């Protein structure tokens, strides 16, 4: 029985993706587009050259961080909608260290990443504190903190770090996590060491939550705060810790963009959207580290491949957003995907008696 459940859990995301692509194909047909050529150009925009593969990985990298941030909060019983703001705060802290400090690279890069994690972690801990000490729901406070982070980072860049254009000064070369040899492997793509750091932190998240006493306490508090309190666990402290770690993960995503892709931070008129996309990545990945990595690859590939689909087949970018939305819908409504899996199991195949 448990084996069948595991097989269903593995099959649901794949069936959800297929169903969503079918819905996307129907939407294209209704809009007068050819879904076959559209999907062909979509996959061509991801796999046809090392450059495009490198750019896809670059797109995936921050999504792993924000997906891990949201998934970590989910696993500890919290709903972190503030990954967007934490992403911005982490990016600002990393870029500031990259601009104003002059150090050798083996000190400069770790310091910039540490600054991003600490700043974003503390930013995330504020809603955690309000939840633990005042009972204020984290959904409300994290949404509000997103807007504060958005306005504050723009103000600080404009006041203390502004270049001639609407962005910050460039970081020192010693703070960059973009290396020429890595970019050359992918024909000049903007891939950087952030992907390796993201995979490392996915492992660390798994180790912390499932292989340490602290991780057990965090999950126990998230599962049943009353039982955890009865067992002698400090519920309030663990809520704050969980939001700190969640914020730090999102902040490292911001650092990877600032130090690896651009080398500066822009004065934005809209949210970058990476933190909000991290919510979808966490849901697609069932809030597990491996699932988040796979969800980020799917989400990043869909986002990046859609650009080529739009240019090559003239299919609007919104079609891919429809596909992404239905992937999330079918995963959330897992009974639909499970019903489709059940139908496949009933189809009689050679060597299988009675379709069972």
């Amino acid at each position: 029985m448990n084996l069948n459940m595991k097989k269903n859990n593995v099959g649901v995301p794949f069936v959800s993706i297929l169903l969503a692509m079918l819905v996307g194909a129907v939407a294209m047909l209704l809009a007068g587009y050819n879904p076959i050529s559209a999907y062909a150009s979509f996959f061509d925009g991801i796999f046809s050259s090392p450059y495009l593969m490198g750019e896809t990985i670059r797109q995936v990298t921050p999504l792993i961080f924000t997906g891990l941030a949201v998934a970590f909060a989910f696993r500890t019983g919290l709903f972190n909608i503030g990954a967007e703001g934490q992403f911005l705060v982490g990016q600002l802290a990393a870029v500031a260290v990259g601009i104003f400090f002059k150090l050798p690279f083996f000190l400069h890069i770790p310091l910039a990443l540490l600054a991003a994690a600490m700043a974003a972690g503390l930013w995330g801990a504020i809603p955690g504190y309000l939840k633990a000490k005042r009972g204020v729901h984290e959904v409300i406070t994290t949404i509000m903190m997103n807007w504060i982070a958005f306005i504050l980072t723009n103000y600080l860049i404009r006041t203390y770090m502004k270049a001639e254009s609407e962005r910050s000064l460039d970081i020192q070369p010693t703070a960059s996590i973009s290396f020429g040899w890595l970019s050359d492997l992918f024909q000049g793509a903007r891939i950087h060491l952030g992907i390796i750091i993201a995979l490392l932190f996915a492992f660390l998240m798994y180790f912390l939550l499932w292989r340490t006493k602290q991780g057990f306490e965090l999950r126990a508090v998230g599962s049943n705060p009353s039982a955890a309190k009865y067992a002698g666990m400090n519920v309030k402290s663990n809520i704050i810790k969980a939001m700190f770690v969640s914020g730090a993960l999102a902040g490292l995503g911001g650092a990877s963009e600032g130090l690896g892709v651009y080398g500066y931070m822009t004065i934005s008129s809209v949210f970058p959207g990476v933190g909000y996309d991290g919510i979808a990545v966490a849901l697609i990945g069932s809030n597990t580290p491996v699932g988040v990595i796979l969800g980020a690859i799917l989400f990043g590939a869909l986002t990046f491949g859609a650009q080529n689909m739009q240019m090559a087949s003239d299919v609007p970018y919104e079609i891919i957003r429809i596909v992404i939305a239905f992937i999330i819908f079918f995963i959330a409504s897992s009974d639909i995907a499970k019903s489709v899996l059940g139908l496949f199991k009933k189809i009689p195949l050679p060597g299988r008696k009675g379709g069972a």
Side-chain angles (χ1 to χ4, degrees):
M1 181 177 178
N2 289 335
L3 183 60
N4 289 334
M5 287 176 64
K6 288 180 180 179
K7 286 181 178 179
N8 284 337
N9 289 338
V10 172
V12 165
F14 290 103
V15 173
S16 299
I17 292 167
L18 291 174
L19 290 173
M21 293 187 75
L22 286 173
V23 172
V26 172
M28 291 180 211
L29 286 171
L30 292 175
Y33 299 103
N34 186 334
I36 296 176
S37 64
Y39 280 132
S41 61
F42 164 76
F43 286 108
D44 188 61
I46 301 172
F47 302 111
S48 62
S49 73
Y51 172 81
L52 292 173
M53 292 179 67
E55 283 294 308
T56 302
I57 295 172
R58 189 268 307 168
Q59 186 84 27
V60 166
T61 301
L63 292 173
I64 295 177
F65 281 113
T66 55
L68 290 174
V70 176
F72 189 92
F74 276 145
R75 283 292 174 180
T76 56
L78 299 165
F79 196 39
N80 183 13
I81 307 295
E84 189 79 5
Q86 295 147 16
F87 178 92
L88 290 171
V89 169
Q91 186 175 10
L92 179 72
V95 169
V97 170
I99 292 170
F100 296 118
F101 285 73
K102 293 184 179 180
L103 297 167
F105 76 94
F106 56 86
L107 292 177
H108 209 170
I109 292 173
L111 181 62
L113 293 174
L114 179 62
M118 289 299 296
L122 291 172
W123 196 261
I126 295 173
Y129 173 84
L130 294 172
K131 166 87 170 183
K133 300 295 185 180
R134 296 290 182 266
V136 183
H137 202 286
E138 71 275 11
V139 170
I140 297 171
T141 52
T142 50
I143 291 174
M144 293 172 67
M145 294 290 285
N146 282 341
W147 284 101
I148 296 171
F150 178 72
I151 296 168
L152 181 62
T153 51
N154 279 347
Y155 169 78
L156 291 175
I157 294 171
R158 187 174 286 111
T159 306
Y160 300 106
M161 303 162 57
K162 190 174 181 298
E164 292 183 1
S165 57
E166 289 295 292
R167 66 177 182 87
S168 74
L169 298 167
D170 291 324
I171 64 172
Q172 305 288 335
T174 50
S176 175
I177 58 173
S178 176
F179 293 91
W181 60 267
L182 182 59
S183 181
D184 291 341
L185 288 175
F186 292 88
Q187 297 179 342
R190 292 173 294 172
I191 186 173
H192 50 80
L193 288 185
I195 184 61
I196 298 174
I197 299 170
L199 296 176
L200 173 63
F201 273 91
F203 171 76
L204 290 176
M205 173 181 161
Y206 163 78
F207 186 82
L208 173 61
L209 284 179
W210 284 278
R211 289 293 183 267
T212 67
K213 177 186 173 183
Q214 179 64 73
F216 175 78
E217 286 193 12
L218 290 169
R219 289 186 292 115
V221 169
S223 178
N224 192 325
S226 299
K229 185 178 180 180
Y230 181 77
M233 300 177 189
N234 190 327
V235 174
K236 294 180 180 179
S237 175
N238 278 294
I239 289 174
I240 297 172
K241 288 177 184 177
M243 286 301 293
F244 177 88
V245 174
S246 180
L249 289 168
L252 287 169
S256 73
E257 289 291 277
L259 302 179
V261 180
Y262 303 109
Y264 56 84
M265 186 173 177
T266 59
I267 298 173
S268 302
S269 58
V270 294
F271 282 112
V274 182
Y276 293 126
D277 288 345
I279 299 172
V281 168
L283 291 173
I284 291 171
S286 300
N287 302 314
T288 64
V290 174
V292 165
I293 293 170
L294 296 176
I297 292 171
L298 171 66
F299 208 98
L302 285 170
T303 303
F304 186 74
Q307 300 173 17
N308 188 65
M309 190 175 79
Q310 186 175 21
M311 290 185 293
S313 301
D314 198 32
V315 176
Y317 178 76
E318 286 73 20
I319 294 292
I320 282 295
R321 302 305 293 187
I322 291 173
V323 173
I324 292 171
F326 271 99
I327 289 173
I328 298 168
F329 170 77
F330 286 122
I331 288 176
S333 307
S334 58
D335 287 343
I336 298 175
K338 288 177 181 177
S339 298
V340 175
L341 278 173
L343 291 174
F344 279 114
K345 289 179 181 178
K346 292 178 181 178
I347 298 175
L349 296 175
R352 189 168 72 180
K353 295 181 179 180

